Amino acid sequence: GAVVSQHPSRVICKSGTSVKIECRSLDFQATTMFWYRQFPKQSLMLMATSNEGSKATYEQGVEKDKFLINHASLTLSTLTVTSAHPEDSSFYICSARVSLNTEAFFGQGTRLTVV
Amino acid sequence: DAKTTQPNSMESNEEEPVHLPCNHSTISGTDYIHWYRQLPSQGPEYVIHGLTSNVNNRMASLAIAEDRKSSTLILHRATLRDAAVYYCIPQTGTYKYIFGTGTRLKVLA
């Protein structure tokens, strides 16, 4: 299957700082990318949907000023967690797809720990 | 979003077939049914998807009921590497992938 690469795979940051997570589709052009968050022993929760060149659409309850999403090209989307706090510690996962009815491919995830 | 119902957990013996059911009674006529699986500490992995007809690929088969209100993911010969949480996701008109609680599959050696 197609490859989605997420970087970094693991990051520890201090409370109050910002962290950027990159998501790249390596062998296809992704018109849409998705960002998820997953807490231990829970399912994935969709945070936002982003289309290349457009502003991201955030799910209800997700703060757009805290979780900044940029989808500047067909192969790259970034999620920046601003002013991170310990409660933002989680497993963040991105996914990408070519078009509407195709399958999505997921990155390997980024484990964020805020201390 | 279409609501899904899956068993919380299932067990299978290694080398035997596994049938993972999913009810999605509120699905609409144009919603594709996707299946993904997730191993611990990894991102989900695409398994299969379909609309109306049964679908086969190298990983699994997808049997879709005629009324499309349910589907079954079939792993023909379970291996230990198939132990994962399996998610059934009817893709709604918003074309998002909303994950439910999934089925945790345990494969016994």
Side-chain angles (χ1 to χ4, degrees), chain B residues 44-72:
Chain B
E45 176 186 26
Y46 167 74
V47 179
I48 200 166
H49 77 296
L51 184 61
T52 55
S53 307
N54 294 344
V55 184
N56 301 293
N57 66 19
R58 63 174 181 80
M59 288 183 68
S61 295
L62 176 60
I64 301 171
E66 197 168 334
D67 63 7
R68 296 193 356 104
K69 294 184 184 301
S70 65
S71 61
T72 302

Side-chain angles (χ1 to χ4, degrees), chain B residues 8-29:
Chain B
N8 287 333
S9 63
M10 292 184 65
E11 280 188 3
S12 172
N13 292 319
E14 199 175 10
E15 306 280 313
E16 290 187 357
V18 183
H19 290 230
L20 297 164
C22 179
N23 286 322
H24 31 75
S25 57
T26 60
I27 197 171
S28 73

Side-chain angles (χ1 to χ4, degrees), chain A residues 9-83:
Chain A
S9 58
R10 196 176 284 271
V11 60
I12 300 172
C13 71
K14 290 185 177 179
S15 189
T17 62
S18 296
V19 174
K20 181 184 283 189
I21 303 169
E22 287 190 352
C23 178
R24 292 181 184 273
S25 56
L26 296 186
D27 50 3
F28 67 100
Q29 292 188 324
T31 56
T32 307
M33 288 186 169
F34 303 88
W35 287 94
Y36 295 83
R37 181 164 57 176
Q38 185 175 33
F39 292 108
K41 299 192 185 302
Q42 294 186 22
S43 186
L44 283 76
M45 185 195 80
L46 179 65
M47 300 175 68
T49 302
S50 76
N51 294 297
E52 184 262 340
S54 303
K55 287 186 178 179
T57 302
Y58 291 80
E59 294 298 303
Q60 192 172 7
V62 178
E63 300 173 60
K64 62 180 180 181
D65 294 330
K66 181 169 183 63
F67 299 100
L68 301 179
I69 292 171
N70 184 277
H71 190 167
S73 76
L74 286 172
T75 59
L76 174 64
S77 177
T78 59
L79 167 68
T80 302
V81 183
T82 62
S83 186

